[in-house]
Amino acid sequence: MSLVALLICCSSAYGQRFGGIEIGAKGVKWVAIDLELGDLRNPVTIVASGDENTTLSALGGASFHPGALRATIQTVGDFYHHLHEALHVPDDQIFIVVSSGLPKAENLQALKDGIAEFTRHAVDVLSVEEEVRLGICGLCIQEQDRLGDALVIDVGSGNTKGGYLVPAAFKKREAITTFELPGTVTLTTAVQSIAADRHVDFCQASLEARHSVLEPSISHQLQRHEDLESRRLVYMNGGVVWALATFLHPEMLEYANVPLRLDELHQIRETLRSANGEYPPVDASLLSAAVTEEISRAKQVFTPENLMAGSEILCALGENLSFEDRAVYFVRNGRVAWLLGYVSAKGRESQVIR
């Protein structure tokens, strides 16, 4: 049974609590949900979620850096025990999964073994296609009728993933169309390499990376998937989208969906280019305690160079995919979208099997 079919199938009318832990290039996330198997209108309630930055994308040669590896294993163990003990998620209803954006390091098995020692759980590793499918399902989990309308773009640290479902065949695996581009940290690293090789600053190197790395990748994807431009609804998620949306619209901190216009993305990119390695300014009149805390969190996760790289990715996507002609939103709960889709599907699968 496909993951989409699992998400829309119905069983007996009772709820179950499930939890999931996601290991990505920038850090570890967790989510706890109550899954109502008999309620198709409101099937999932997010109980709680959280994350911690462990930067497992930091490599020492072809392997994960030992410090980042240890920190990630410890964080997964801490989140596992929190889900089990504080949130009362049964041990066999906690699922641990690795993002497709995590570098394929030589010591990946050491990560799996370390997690198994802490949690006694096996670790699932997703493909890009699986992650995009789950992201779409997670974003549309309360509105299944929009599964075929939305183009989902997840700008992660290791890679940028995107895709959509073909309305005529929701239940078939081949119904998913996906694409993959560089992520925020990946592009930042490429820009730094260009800057060192060409003896130019980060801003100039980012322009060169846009032309040599980003635009050829996007052009290739458009040639492969001509109907990418047919989806009028675009859901954006990923850490750098959250950070840029926070700087652009601090007044929308409580909004579930934050509209993103292409001219705004151009504006913040130009601000970052001229900021000499500083963060973009925020109107002091909008700096409530909650906004100040959110901006502080964004600065802890992303450097100004990361934000500039992220803005290049968003602008390149916006220009090539004609964002000005679409409804484009940053989805605040999108940070756990594919994890939500994954846990929901695994939860339904376990109950169907039982």
Side-chain angles (χ1 to χ4, degrees), residues 292-304:
T292 299
E293 181 179 354
E294 193 81 346
I295 289 174
S296 177
R297 287 183 62 231
K299 290 179 178 180
Q300 290 171 14
V301 176
F302 295 105
T303 66

Side-chain angles (χ1 to χ4, degrees), residues 23-27 53-65 68-69 72 101-105 156-159 184-186 189 301 306:
I23 304 163
K26 199 70 179 178
N53 180 20
T54 60
T55 318
L56 196 54
S57 57
L59 298 177
S63 299
F64 296 127
H65 190 280
L69 183 62
T72 300
L102 195 70
K104 305 302 185 285
S157 294
N159 61 357
T184 308
V185 174
T186 307
T189 302
V301 176
N306 290 152

